[in-house]
Amino acid sequence: DEYLARFIDPKTRLGVDLLFGVGDPEQGARETARPAKLFGVTVKVARLDYLLWLYLLSDQPRHHDDALSVLRTRKVDLAKLREKLVIAGDREALMRLKDWAAEATRLPEQGWRDLQRKRRARSQE
């Protein structure tokens, strides 16, 4: 995509998303990112509200699963995120947030990542 690239370290297989978009949520995610130590290296990490906003825009199943995990932490100010989505005029993301927030309150079912782990384990047998 023109606004996102993924770097995967060939040695460790760790992946990092690089954001290039010039508007929100990518720009806001970069501007409000906070420094954090990751494997001994200080990196800028997007705030959860912007991360959730990015997930809302994605059509990848893993991002739906990740969004539910973020919502279940209850560390995101959903009222502020809804306000940002209203200002951005993103009705689709608002509806998706409503649906996902309701889904996050239910007991988690088998998520995308769990299915991927099982597939990998079967393929290695």
Side-chain angles (χ1 to χ4, degrees):
D1 296 329
E2 67 276 0
Y3 64 91
L4 174 70
R6 179 140 229 206
F7 169 76
I8 299 179
D9 183 305
K11 187 175 183 179
T12 64
R13 304 301 304 154
L14 293 173
V16 176
D17 291 335
L18 306 171
L19 302 174
F20 300 108
V22 294
D24 273 335
E26 296 85 10
Q27 183 173 338
R30 282 192 311 275
E31 290 174 354
T32 63
R34 299 176 184 151
K37 284 271 191 188
L38 184 64
F39 300 106
V41 177
T42 301
V43 296
K44 288 211 163 192
V45 177
R47 290 185 1 207
L48 284 179
D49 54 337
Y50 280 103
L51 185 62
L52 183 53
W53 189 354
L54 289 163
Y55 290 155
L56 289 167
L57 300 177
S58 175
D59 61 356
Q60 296 183 29
R62 68 185 172 104
H63 288 158
H64 172 255
D65 195 45
D66 291 342
L68 294 178
S69 295
V70 168
L71 286 163
R72 287 183 179 121
T73 68
R74 299 181 185 217
K75 293 181 179 181
V76 176
D77 187 335
L78 293 180
K80 284 186 180 180
L81 179 54
R82 284 186 192 100
E83 185 179 318
K84 290 175 188 174
L85 294 172
V86 167
I87 291 169
D90 195 338
R91 299 182 78 149
E92 186 176 332
L94 275 166
M95 290 187 305
R96 187 176 282 181
L97 177 60
K98 180 182 176 186
D99 293 343
W100 288 4
E103 186 178 350
T105 62
R106 296 191 293 272
L107 287 176
E109 296 177 13
Q110 195 170 44
W112 183 86
R113 291 184 189 278
D114 292 330
L115 292 172
Q116 291 301 316
R117 282 188 203 106
K118 286 183 179 182
R119 285 184 191 133
R120 276 194 295 265
R122 279 193 301 252
S123 70
Q124 292 175 353
E125 292 177 348

